[in-house]
Amino acid sequence: MQQTIGFLGAGRMASAMIKRLLSKGFTVKVWNRNPAKIDPLVTLGATTCESPAEVAKNCDTVISFMADDAAAEAVWLGNQGALAAMDKGALAIECSTLSHAFVLELAKQIDAAGCRYIDAPVIGVPTDVEAGNTIFLIGAANDDLERARPLMEATGRKIVHFGPVGAGTVYKLMHNLLGAVHIAAAAELVAVAQKAGLDGDKVAETFEIGANASPTGLMVMPGLLSGNHNEGIHFTTGLRSKDTSYAMKLVKEYGLLLPVGQAANGVFETATKEGLGDLAQSAVIETLKR
């Protein structure tokens, strides 16, 4: 494949997807706020760009993988943003987990500029993404998705088209809110078990074979039991807090109340305010121990 992809971001998930794209023969141009993060990708064949606008030049597809609304707005619409440099009709594929309201506004501005927007948040940790096991959650017009389908099929395992722009984000936000519920509940289980003096290995073994185990709970269980929240970080406490807060904003858009989700959101907000935001999600147990 000779297609050139412009890529905005080089964090954990972004780097994993860039590696996958390079392994499949795509040419990739990358911008990241901290250019040092691009260096390992350059050794694999990526090209460093000095601005989002430079990334977007002469690319019919630009992919963004940013942390939040503010970062996404800056790379698409800010000074030297990608949108101003994109050719008419180019695809803007947003894989970040953003707020629903912002996705709709961003899509409107991209469409007004003559480009096409695909709402494409993903399910998967970095190792999944690099291995090609990404699940794309799509909100897009059918024609736009068909244009992007070869790229997504080359880099991911499954494409789920939920409907128009914004629909993919609706599912992703609720998916991540559910993950927060699982982690918070697993943290409560471990906090009580440790307080009662239960053997940690037996807690882990029994949790794994029980009906309430989930992939998310299993992923954080080692950190919950060991108290080591600094290694093997797939996703941080702060990013989960951001996602759950966006989910609760979505809930308000629909006039709903989700008490369980709100409680989980509160757990992650508290942990982040207590300075645990850059640690693994298992760090939420520290707030319960206090």
PDB file of all heavy atoms in Angstrom, residues 55-90:
ATOM      1  N   VAL A  55       1.206  17.838   8.781  1.00  0.00           N
ATOM      2  CA  VAL A  55       0.718  16.457   8.694  1.00  0.00           C
ATOM      3  C   VAL A  55      -0.364  16.330   7.628  1.00  0.00           C
ATOM      4  O   VAL A  55      -0.401  15.370   6.854  1.00  0.00           O
ATOM      5  CB  VAL A  55       0.157  15.997  10.059  1.00  0.00           C
ATOM      6  CG1 VAL A  55      -0.738  14.771   9.891  1.00  0.00           C
ATOM      7  CG2 VAL A  55       1.279  15.677  11.027  1.00  0.00           C
ATOM      8  N   ALA A  56      -1.259  17.316   7.574  1.00  0.00           N
ATOM      9  CA  ALA A  56      -2.445  17.221   6.731  1.00  0.00           C
ATOM     10  C   ALA A  56      -2.188  17.497   5.255  1.00  0.00           C
ATOM     11  O   ALA A  56      -3.001  17.120   4.400  1.00  0.00           O
ATOM     12  CB  ALA A  56      -3.514  18.184   7.242  1.00  0.00           C
ATOM     13  N   LYS A  57      -1.095  18.153   4.942  1.00  0.00           N
ATOM     14  CA  LYS A  57      -0.822  18.504   3.543  1.00  0.00           C
ATOM     15  C   LYS A  57      -0.646  17.258   2.686  1.00  0.00           C
ATOM     16  O   LYS A  57       0.083  16.335   3.042  1.00  0.00           O
ATOM     17  CB  LYS A  57       0.439  19.372   3.460  1.00  0.00           C
ATOM     18  CG  LYS A  57       0.257  20.773   4.004  1.00  0.00           C
ATOM     19  CD  LYS A  57       1.553  21.560   3.932  1.00  0.00           C
ATOM     20  CE  LYS A  57       1.371  22.968   4.513  1.00  0.00           C
ATOM     21  NZ  LYS A  57       2.655  23.731   4.533  1.00  0.00           N
ATOM     22  N   ASN A  58      -1.365  17.243   1.563  1.00  0.00           N
ATOM     23  CA  ASN A  58      -1.254  16.166   0.572  1.00  0.00           C
ATOM     24  C   ASN A  58      -1.638  14.801   1.129  1.00  0.00           C
ATOM     25  O   ASN A  58      -1.124  13.776   0.655  1.00  0.00           O
ATOM     26  CB  ASN A  58       0.161  16.119  -0.005  1.00  0.00           C
ATOM     27  CG  ASN A  58       0.573  17.426  -0.646  1.00  0.00           C
ATOM     28  OD1 ASN A  58      -0.209  18.043  -1.371  1.00  0.00           O
ATOM     29  ND2 ASN A  58       1.793  17.875  -0.378  1.00  0.00           N
ATOM     30  N   CYS A  59      -2.513  14.777   2.126  1.00  0.00           N
ATOM     31  CA  CYS A  59      -3.038  13.518   2.666  1.00  0.00           C
ATOM     32  C   CYS A  59      -4.543  13.476   2.436  1.00  0.00           C
ATOM     33  O   CYS A  59      -5.237  14.431   2.764  1.00  0.00           O
ATOM     34  CB  CYS A  59      -2.765  13.397   4.165  1.00  0.00           C
ATOM     35  SG  CYS A  59      -1.051  13.040   4.580  1.00  0.00           S
ATOM     36  N   ASP A  60      -5.034  12.366   1.912  1.00  0.00           N
ATOM     37  CA  ASP A  60      -6.492  12.267   1.769  1.00  0.00           C
ATOM     38  C   ASP A  60      -7.150  11.713   3.018  1.00  0.00           C
ATOM     39  O   ASP A  60      -8.375  11.689   3.130  1.00  0.00           O
ATOM     40  CB  ASP A  60      -6.889  11.450   0.539  1.00  0.00           C
ATOM     41  CG  ASP A  60      -6.431  10.001   0.603  1.00  0.00           C
ATOM     42  OD1 ASP A  60      -5.919   9.572   1.660  1.00  0.00           O
ATOM     43  OD2 ASP A  60      -6.595   9.292  -0.395  1.00  0.00           O
ATOM     44  N   THR A  61      -6.327  11.284   3.993  1.00  0.00           N
ATOM     45  CA  THR A  61      -6.855  10.790   5.265  1.00  0.00           C
ATOM     46  C   THR A  61      -5.975  11.283   6.405  1.00  0.00           C
ATOM     47  O   THR A  61      -4.756  11.101   6.384  1.00  0.00           O
ATOM     48  CB  THR A  61      -6.886   9.252   5.301  1.00  0.00           C
ATOM     49  OG1 THR A  61      -7.704   8.762   4.228  1.00  0.00           O
ATOM     50  CG2 THR A  61      -7.448   8.753   6.624  1.00  0.00           C
ATOM     51  N   VAL A  62      -6.602  11.910   7.395  1.00  0.00           N
ATOM     52  CA  VAL A  62      -5.900  12.361   8.592  1.00  0.00           C
ATOM     53  C   VAL A  62      -6.583  11.727   9.798  1.00  0.00           C
ATOM     54  O   VAL A  62      -7.803  11.818   9.944  1.00  0.00           O
ATOM     55  CB  VAL A  62      -5.912  13.895   8.731  1.00  0.00           C
ATOM     56  CG1 VAL A  62      -5.189  14.324  10.003  1.00  0.00           C
ATOM     57  CG2 VAL A  62      -5.270  14.549   7.508  1.00  0.00           C
ATOM     58  N   ILE A  63      -5.803  11.069  10.658  1.00  0.00           N
ATOM     59  CA  ILE A  63      -6.321  10.395  11.845  1.00  0.00           C
ATOM     60  C   ILE A  63      -5.841  11.137  13.085  1.00  0.00           C
ATOM     61  O   ILE A  63      -4.680  11.534  13.167  1.00  0.00           O
ATOM     62  CB  ILE A  63      -5.852   8.928  11.910  1.00  0.00           C
ATOM     63  CG1 ILE A  63      -6.298   8.166  10.670  1.00  0.00           C
ATOM     64  CG2 ILE A  63      -6.369   8.241  13.172  1.00  0.00           C
ATOM     65  CD1 ILE A  63      -5.734   6.745  10.587  1.00  0.00           C
ATOM     66  N   SER A  64      -6.735  11.310  14.047  1.00  0.00           N
ATOM     67  CA  SER A  64      -6.376  11.955  15.313  1.00  0.00           C
ATOM     68  C   SER A  64      -6.600  10.992  16.471  1.00  0.00           C
ATOM     69  O   SER A  64      -7.609  10.283  16.511  1.00  0.00           O
ATOM     70  CB  SER A  64      -7.211  13.219  15.520  1.00  0.00           C
ATOM     71  OG  SER A  64      -7.064  13.720  16.837  1.00  0.00           O
ATOM     72  N   PHE A  65      -5.657  11.006  17.403  1.00  0.00           N
ATOM     73  CA  PHE A  65      -5.775  10.189  18.618  1.00  0.00           C
ATOM     74  C   PHE A  65      -5.283  11.049  19.773  1.00  0.00           C
ATOM     75  O   PHE A  65      -4.125  10.982  20.169  1.00  0.00           O
ATOM     76  CB  PHE A  65      -4.918   8.932  18.493  1.00  0.00           C
ATOM     77  CG  PHE A  65      -5.637   7.661  18.840  1.00  0.00           C
ATOM     78  CD1 PHE A  65      -5.570   6.553  18.012  1.00  0.00           C
ATOM     79  CD2 PHE A  65      -6.376   7.562  20.007  1.00  0.00           C
ATOM     80  CE1 PHE A  65      -6.221   5.378  18.325  1.00  0.00           C
ATOM     81  CE2 PHE A  65      -7.031   6.389  20.335  1.00  0.00           C
ATOM     82  CZ  PHE A  65      -6.957   5.293  19.488  1.00  0.00           C
ATOM     83  N   MET A  66      -6.164  11.901  20.304  1.00  0.00           N
ATOM     84  CA  MET A  66      -5.793  12.866  21.326  1.00  0.00           C
ATOM     85  C   MET A  66      -6.440  12.518  22.660  1.00  0.00           C
ATOM     86  O   MET A  66      -7.342  11.690  22.739  1.00  0.00           O
ATOM     87  CB  MET A  66      -6.191  14.272  20.894  1.00  0.00           C
ATOM     88  CG  MET A  66      -5.671  14.681  19.515  1.00  0.00           C
ATOM     89  SD  MET A  66      -3.879  14.497  19.321  1.00  0.00           S
ATOM     90  CE  MET A  66      -3.293  15.715  20.496  1.00  0.00           C
ATOM     91  N   ALA A  67      -6.003  13.233  23.719  1.00  0.00           N
ATOM     92  CA  ALA A  67      -6.443  12.894  25.072  1.00  0.00           C
ATOM     93  C   ALA A  67      -7.841  13.382  25.394  1.00  0.00           C
ATOM     94  O   ALA A  67      -8.590  12.711  26.114  1.00  0.00           O
ATOM     95  CB  ALA A  67      -5.462  13.458  26.097  1.00  0.00           C
ATOM     96  N   ASP A  68      -8.226  14.569  24.888  1.00  0.00           N
ATOM     97  CA  ASP A  68      -9.501  15.151  25.298  1.00  0.00           C
ATOM     98  C   ASP A  68      -9.971  16.192  24.291  1.00  0.00           C
ATOM     99  O   ASP A  68      -9.335  16.410  23.253  1.00  0.00           O
ATOM    100  CB  ASP A  68      -9.379  15.780  26.693  1.00  0.00           C
ATOM    101  CG  ASP A  68      -8.230  16.777  26.798  1.00  0.00           C
ATOM    102  OD1 ASP A  68      -7.864  17.383  25.770  1.00  0.00           O
ATOM    103  OD2 ASP A  68      -7.704  16.954  27.916  1.00  0.00           O
ATOM    104  N   ASP A  69     -11.100  16.830  24.596  1.00  0.00           N
ATOM    105  CA  ASP A  69     -11.691  17.818  23.687  1.00  0.00           C
ATOM    106  C   ASP A  69     -10.727  18.953  23.376  1.00  0.00           C
ATOM    107  O   ASP A  69     -10.590  19.365  22.214  1.00  0.00           O
ATOM    108  CB  ASP A  69     -12.959  18.423  24.306  1.00  0.00           C
ATOM    109  CG  ASP A  69     -14.125  17.461  24.358  1.00  0.00           C
ATOM    110  OD1 ASP A  69     -13.992  16.317  23.879  1.00  0.00           O
ATOM    111  OD2 ASP A  69     -15.188  17.857  24.889  1.00  0.00           O
ATOM    112  N   ALA A  70     -10.077  19.483  24.402  1.00  0.00           N
ATOM    113  CA  ALA A  70      -9.197  20.636  24.211  1.00  0.00           C
ATOM    114  C   ALA A  70      -8.048  20.297  23.270  1.00  0.00           C
ATOM    115  O   ALA A  70      -7.695  21.089  22.381  1.00  0.00           O
ATOM    116  CB  ALA A  70      -8.664  21.113  25.557  1.00  0.00           C
ATOM    117  N   ALA A  71      -7.459  19.120  23.449  1.00  0.00           N
ATOM    118  CA  ALA A  71      -6.349  18.721  22.590  1.00  0.00           C
ATOM    119  C   ALA A  71      -6.818  18.484  21.166  1.00  0.00           C
ATOM    120  O   ALA A  71      -6.137  18.862  20.203  1.00  0.00           O
ATOM    121  CB  ALA A  71      -5.695  17.460  23.158  1.00  0.00           C
ATOM    122  N   ALA A  72      -7.993  17.864  21.013  1.00  0.00           N
ATOM    123  CA  ALA A  72      -8.527  17.621  19.668  1.00  0.00           C
ATOM    124  C   ALA A  72      -8.859  18.938  18.972  1.00  0.00           C
ATOM    125  O   ALA A  72      -8.580  19.112  17.778  1.00  0.00           O
ATOM    126  CB  ALA A  72      -9.762  16.736  19.752  1.00  0.00           C
ATOM    127  N   GLU A  73      -9.452  19.871  19.699  1.00  0.00           N
ATOM    128  CA  GLU A  73      -9.766  21.168  19.105  1.00  0.00           C
ATOM    129  C   GLU A  73      -8.499  21.870  18.633  1.00  0.00           C
ATOM    130  O   GLU A  73      -8.468  22.468  17.548  1.00  0.00           O
ATOM    131  CB  GLU A  73     -10.504  22.048  20.116  1.00  0.00           C
ATOM    132  CG  GLU A  73     -10.904  23.403  19.560  1.00  0.00           C
ATOM    133  CD  GLU A  73     -11.719  24.215  20.539  1.00  0.00           C
ATOM    134  OE1 GLU A  73     -11.647  23.936  21.751  1.00  0.00           O
ATOM    135  OE2 GLU A  73     -12.434  25.126  20.095  1.00  0.00           O
ATOM    136  N   ALA A  74      -7.445  21.788  19.415  1.00  0.00           N
ATOM    137  CA  ALA A  74      -6.186  22.454  19.060  1.00  0.00           C
ATOM    138  C   ALA A  74      -5.586  21.869  17.788  1.00  0.00           C
ATOM    139  O   ALA A  74      -5.131  22.616  16.913  1.00  0.00           O
ATOM    140  CB  ALA A  74      -5.198  22.351  20.215  1.00  0.00           C
ATOM    141  N   VAL A  75      -5.582  20.540  17.655  1.00  0.00           N
ATOM    142  CA  VAL A  75      -4.906  19.955  16.496  1.00  0.00           C
ATOM    143  C   VAL A  75      -5.717  20.089  15.210  1.00  0.00           C
ATOM    144  O   VAL A  75      -5.150  20.184  14.118  1.00  0.00           O
ATOM    145  CB  VAL A  75      -4.533  18.475  16.731  1.00  0.00           C
ATOM    146  CG1 VAL A  75      -3.536  18.355  17.871  1.00  0.00           C
ATOM    147  CG2 VAL A  75      -5.746  17.602  16.960  1.00  0.00           C
ATOM    148  N   TRP A  76      -7.045  20.135  15.321  1.00  0.00           N
ATOM    149  CA  TRP A  76      -7.867  20.292  14.128  1.00  0.00           C
ATOM    150  C   TRP A  76      -8.085  21.757  13.756  1.00  0.00           C
ATOM    151  O   TRP A  76      -7.990  22.124  12.578  1.00  0.00           O
ATOM    152  CB  TRP A  76      -9.239  19.633  14.322  1.00  0.00           C
ATOM    153  CG  TRP A  76      -9.253  18.141  14.330  1.00  0.00           C
ATOM    154  CD1 TRP A  76      -9.554  17.338  15.389  1.00  0.00           C
ATOM    155  CD2 TRP A  76      -8.959  17.260  13.240  1.00  0.00           C
ATOM    156  NE1 TRP A  76      -9.468  16.016  15.037  1.00  0.00           N
ATOM    157  CE2 TRP A  76      -9.113  15.937  13.721  1.00  0.00           C
ATOM    158  CE3 TRP A  76      -8.590  17.449  11.908  1.00  0.00           C
ATOM    159  CZ2 TRP A  76      -8.908  14.815  12.911  1.00  0.00           C
ATOM    160  CZ3 TRP A  76      -8.382  16.333  11.091  1.00  0.00           C
ATOM    161  CH2 TRP A  76      -8.541  15.044  11.605  1.00  0.00           C
ATOM    162  N   LEU A  77      -8.366  22.594  14.756  1.00  0.00           N
ATOM    163  CA  LEU A  77      -8.862  23.935  14.484  1.00  0.00           C
ATOM    164  C   LEU A  77      -7.946  25.054  14.952  1.00  0.00           C
ATOM    165  O   LEU A  77      -8.177  26.220  14.623  1.00  0.00           O
ATOM    166  CB  LEU A  77     -10.232  24.113  15.156  1.00  0.00           C
ATOM    167  CG  LEU A  77     -11.294  23.046  14.857  1.00  0.00           C
ATOM    168  CD1 LEU A  77     -12.542  23.318  15.684  1.00  0.00           C
ATOM    169  CD2 LEU A  77     -11.615  22.992  13.372  1.00  0.00           C
ATOM    170  N   GLY A  78      -6.916  24.739  15.733  1.00  0.00           N
ATOM    171  CA  GLY A  78      -6.066  25.767  16.311  1.00  0.00           C
ATOM    172  C   GLY A  78      -5.047  26.346  15.343  1.00  0.00           C
ATOM    173  O   GLY A  78      -5.089  26.075  14.123  1.00  0.00           O
ATOM    174  N   ASN A  79      -4.138  27.145  15.880  1.00  0.00           N
ATOM    175  CA  ASN A  79      -3.067  27.715  15.083  1.00  0.00           C
ATOM    176  C   ASN A  79      -2.234  26.592  14.467  1.00  0.00           C
ATOM    177  O   ASN A  79      -1.791  25.684  15.153  1.00  0.00           O
ATOM    178  CB  ASN A  79      -2.175  28.587  15.983  1.00  0.00           C
ATOM    179  CG  ASN A  79      -1.080  29.277  15.216  1.00  0.00           C
ATOM    180  OD1 ASN A  79      -1.277  29.671  14.066  1.00  0.00           O
ATOM    181  ND2 ASN A  79       0.079  29.418  15.836  1.00  0.00           N
ATOM    182  N   GLN A  80      -2.054  26.626  13.156  1.00  0.00           N
ATOM    183  CA  GLN A  80      -1.379  25.552  12.425  1.00  0.00           C
ATOM    184  C   GLN A  80      -2.129  24.227  12.560  1.00  0.00           C
ATOM    185  O   GLN A  80      -1.528  23.139  12.538  1.00  0.00           O
ATOM    186  CB  GLN A  80       0.070  25.384  12.902  1.00  0.00           C
ATOM    187  CG  GLN A  80       0.996  26.510  12.489  1.00  0.00           C
ATOM    188  CD  GLN A  80       1.218  26.550  10.988  1.00  0.00           C
ATOM    189  OE1 GLN A  80       1.703  25.591  10.398  1.00  0.00           O
ATOM    190  NE2 GLN A  80       0.841  27.658  10.366  1.00  0.00           N
ATOM    191  N   GLY A  81      -3.472  24.324  12.708  1.00  0.00           N
ATOM    192  CA  GLY A  81      -4.288  23.127  12.810  1.00  0.00           C
ATOM    193  C   GLY A  81      -4.414  22.395  11.485  1.00  0.00           C
ATOM    194  O   GLY A  81      -4.191  22.956  10.409  1.00  0.00           O
ATOM    195  N   ALA A  82      -4.795  21.129  11.565  1.00  0.00           N
ATOM    196  CA  ALA A  82      -4.834  20.280  10.378  1.00  0.00           C
ATOM    197  C   ALA A  82      -5.899  20.696   9.377  1.00  0.00           C
ATOM    198  O   ALA A  82      -5.683  20.622   8.164  1.00  0.00           O
ATOM    199  CB  ALA A  82      -5.071  18.827  10.811  1.00  0.00           C
ATOM    200  N   LEU A  83      -7.061  21.124   9.853  1.00  0.00           N
ATOM    201  CA  LEU A  83      -8.181  21.344   8.954  1.00  0.00           C
ATOM    202  C   LEU A  83      -7.875  22.382   7.880  1.00  0.00           C
ATOM    203  O   LEU A  83      -8.238  22.198   6.710  1.00  0.00           O
ATOM    204  CB  LEU A  83      -9.427  21.764   9.746  1.00  0.00           C
ATOM    205  CG  LEU A  83     -10.698  21.987   8.908  1.00  0.00           C
ATOM    206  CD1 LEU A  83     -11.054  20.726   8.126  1.00  0.00           C
ATOM    207  CD2 LEU A  83     -11.858  22.392   9.809  1.00  0.00           C
ATOM    208  N   ALA A  84      -7.212  23.451   8.247  1.00  0.00           N
ATOM    209  CA  ALA A  84      -6.925  24.516   7.283  1.00  0.00           C
ATOM    210  C   ALA A  84      -6.024  24.032   6.148  1.00  0.00           C
ATOM    211  O   ALA A  84      -6.017  24.634   5.064  1.00  0.00           O
ATOM    212  CB  ALA A  84      -6.280  25.702   7.998  1.00  0.00           C
ATOM    213  N   ALA A  85      -5.271  22.973   6.371  1.00  0.00           N
ATOM    214  CA  ALA A  85      -4.338  22.482   5.353  1.00  0.00           C
ATOM    215  C   ALA A  85      -4.877  21.281   4.584  1.00  0.00           C
ATOM    216  O   ALA A  85      -4.217  20.795   3.656  1.00  0.00           O
ATOM    217  CB  ALA A  85      -3.005  22.107   6.016  1.00  0.00           C
ATOM    218  N   MET A  86      -6.053  20.781   4.951  1.00  0.00           N
ATOM    219  CA  MET A  86      -6.592  19.586   4.308  1.00  0.00           C
ATOM    220  C   MET A  86      -7.199  19.912   2.956  1.00  0.00           C
ATOM    221  O   MET A  86      -7.797  20.963   2.758  1.00  0.00           O
ATOM    222  CB  MET A  86      -7.634  18.919   5.214  1.00  0.00           C
ATOM    223  CG  MET A  86      -7.031  18.263   6.444  1.00  0.00           C
ATOM    224  SD  MET A  86      -8.258  17.658   7.634  1.00  0.00           S
ATOM    225  CE  MET A  86      -9.010  16.316   6.719  1.00  0.00           C
ATOM    226  N   ASP A  87      -7.054  18.989   2.010  1.00  0.00           N
ATOM    227  CA  ASP A  87      -7.680  19.135   0.708  1.00  0.00           C
ATOM    228  C   ASP A  87      -9.183  18.918   0.827  1.00  0.00           C
ATOM    229  O   ASP A  87      -9.653  18.180   1.708  1.00  0.00           O
ATOM    230  CB  ASP A  87      -7.100  18.111  -0.269  1.00  0.00           C
ATOM    231  CG  ASP A  87      -5.633  18.336  -0.553  1.00  0.00           C
ATOM    232  OD1 ASP A  87      -5.181  19.495  -0.449  1.00  0.00           O
ATOM    233  OD2 ASP A  87      -4.939  17.345  -0.868  1.00  0.00           O
ATOM    234  N   LYS A  88      -9.935  19.541  -0.064  1.00  0.00           N
ATOM    235  CA  LYS A  88     -11.378  19.334  -0.087  1.00  0.00           C
ATOM    236  C   LYS A  88     -11.680  17.846  -0.286  1.00  0.00           C
ATOM    237  O   LYS A  88     -11.051  17.172  -1.100  1.00  0.00           O
ATOM    238  CB  LYS A  88     -12.027  20.136  -1.217  1.00  0.00           C
ATOM    239  CG  LYS A  88     -11.816  21.634  -1.128  1.00  0.00           C
ATOM    240  CD  LYS A  88     -12.546  22.229   0.064  1.00  0.00           C
ATOM    241  CE  LYS A  88     -12.393  23.760   0.081  1.00  0.00           C
ATOM    242  NZ  LYS A  88     -13.021  24.374   1.259  1.00  0.00           N
ATOM    243  N   GLY A  89     -12.614  17.363   0.478  1.00  0.00           N
ATOM    244  CA  GLY A  89     -13.016  15.972   0.358  1.00  0.00           C
ATOM    245  C   GLY A  89     -12.185  14.994   1.159  1.00  0.00           C
ATOM    246  O   GLY A  89     -12.497  13.800   1.208  1.00  0.00           O
ATOM    247  N   ALA A  90     -11.129  15.472   1.818  1.00  0.00           N
ATOM    248  CA  ALA A  90     -10.286  14.575   2.615  1.00  0.00           C
ATOM    249  C   ALA A  90     -11.053  14.049   3.819  1.00  0.00           C
ATOM    250  O   ALA A  90     -11.989  14.691   4.315  1.00  0.00           O
ATOM    251  CB  ALA A  90      -9.030  15.304   3.071  1.00  0.00           C
TER     252      ALA A  90
END
